[in-house]
Amino acid sequence: MNSQDRLIVALDVPGATQARQIVQTIGDAATTYKIGKQLFTAEGPQVVRDLVASGRKVFLDLKYHDIPNTVAAAVRSAAELGVSMMTVHASGGSKMLRAAVEAASQSPAKTKPMVLAVTVLTSLSDSDLLELGIAGDVLSQVLRLGALARAAGCGGLVASAQEARELRKALGEDFAIVTPGVRPAGASAGDQARVVTPKDAIAAGATYLVVGRPILEAPNPAQAAQQIADEIAAACRQEAVG
Ligand code: C5P
């Protein structure tokens, strides 16, 4: 995989005008954009269609969690929009995950989206899980749900770099791990409690890195994206020889 394809820019902006502006500014420095609940709720599917039509890849991060039939239908709709990756909650259970994977793989769309599972939201702590009636710590739950998602045929998981290391150890190589909370050396952490550099994320086993503010808020977003893509490329080369 081209190392530029490993970088996913989080398009966390309020509307289509800002989205268009930032995508244009970044130009060739990035190819994949994550559209989340903020932009999708504001602008609807047209923002996805426009981005796909402009030759970019879209990661639709709407974290579906519903009965299997409803999730499968939503996955089919997303596939028709031309998205390359999308998220569901692993806690929706095996049947829901399998329904999502089947809907993606059987879609007549040209691009069959990769279904990524979210395990435990990184905003939740051990005591939050206890409150939800889940005994055991966050990491055990992440590993349990990660294994469930993999067995259901999901193409990968969204996981912090710390979880990525454990997930790779436990689940092996042949699925994608998408890691947010990435900051190039020296950048501000923003509201992320734990951040890692691109190099550390790759070393931890991440396949794709999601980066938002360090690119969106940079004085020169194209240069910031290119620098991160270069850091990813260097880290991949190092992993390959190491
Ligand atoms: O601006 P920043 O680089 O922190 O953006 C990271 C993106 O990844 C945001 O869209 C955020 O919602 C998402 N994300 C995250 N942590 C998670 C899951 C998703 O930061 N655990």
Side-chain angles (χ1 to χ4, degrees):
M1 192 195 316
N2 178 333
S3 55
Q4 203 161 44
D5 291 340
R6 291 178 182 260
L7 171 63
I8 300 173
V9 179
L11 216 39
D12 294 331
V13 293
T17 310
Q18 297 91 331
R20 258 194 305 275
Q21 238 162 33
I22 193 81
V23 171
Q24 224 162 49
T25 308
I26 290 174
D28 294 334
T31 50
T32 310
Y33 290 87
K34 181 170 88 72
I35 294 182
K37 289 190 172 95
Q38 180 190 17
L39 184 57
F40 193 84
T41 303
E43 300 288 349
Q46 196 54 40
V47 71
V48 177
R49 290 193 194 99
D50 289 347
L51 210 51
V52 171
S54 76
R56 272 77 177 195
K57 289 188 190 146
V58 173
F59 168 14
L60 188 63
D61 185 20
L62 298 180
K63 300 186 179 69
Y64 296 142
H65 188 177
D66 212 312
I67 58 170
N69 190 55
T70 301
V71 168
V75 169
R76 275 193 291 277
S77 296
E80 274 164 33
L81 292 177
V83 310
S84 299
M85 305 162 117
M86 56 189 308
T87 43
V88 297
H89 271 287
S91 52
S94 281
K95 285 199 210 83
M96 190 206 81
L97 294 169
R98 280 199 303 271
V101 170
E102 195 180 295
S105 66
Q106 290 180 359
S107 158
K110 208 163 58 190
T111 309
K112 317 268 183 236
M114 179 188 279
V115 176
L116 300 164
V118 174
T119 57
V120 179
L121 294 171
T122 46
S123 50
L124 298 177
S125 64
D126 293 350
S127 59
D128 293 318
L129 290 192
L130 200 61
E131 202 176 53
L132 294 171
I134 300 165
D137 58 12
V138 168
L139 185 60
S140 326
Q141 185 67 2
V142 165
L143 292 171
R144 171 194 291 265
L145 291 176
L148 194 78
R150 187 161 186 233
C154 290
L157 297 165
V158 179
S160 71
Q162 199 193 6
E163 294 163 355
R165 194 176 288 284
E166 299 296 329
L167 285 163
R168 273 278 173 248
K169 247 196 294 183
L171 302 178
E173 292 298 324
D174 64 343
F175 66 97
I177 298 182
V178 180
T179 300
V182 176
R183 295 289 176 270
S188 140
D191 65 352
Q192 297 277 15
R194 278 180 284 120
V195 294
V196 290
T197 62
K199 180 172 183 269
D200 292 341
I202 296 290
T207 319
Y208 299 98
L209 278 54
V210 175
V211 187
R213 287 162 291 180
I215 293 173
L216 305 185
E217 294 173 2
N220 184 337
Q223 194 180 53
Q226 191 56 55
Q227 258 166 19
I228 294 170
D230 291 346
E231 266 189 73
I232 295 172
C236 290
R237 280 195 299 274
Q238 213 166 3
E239 288 299 303
V241 294

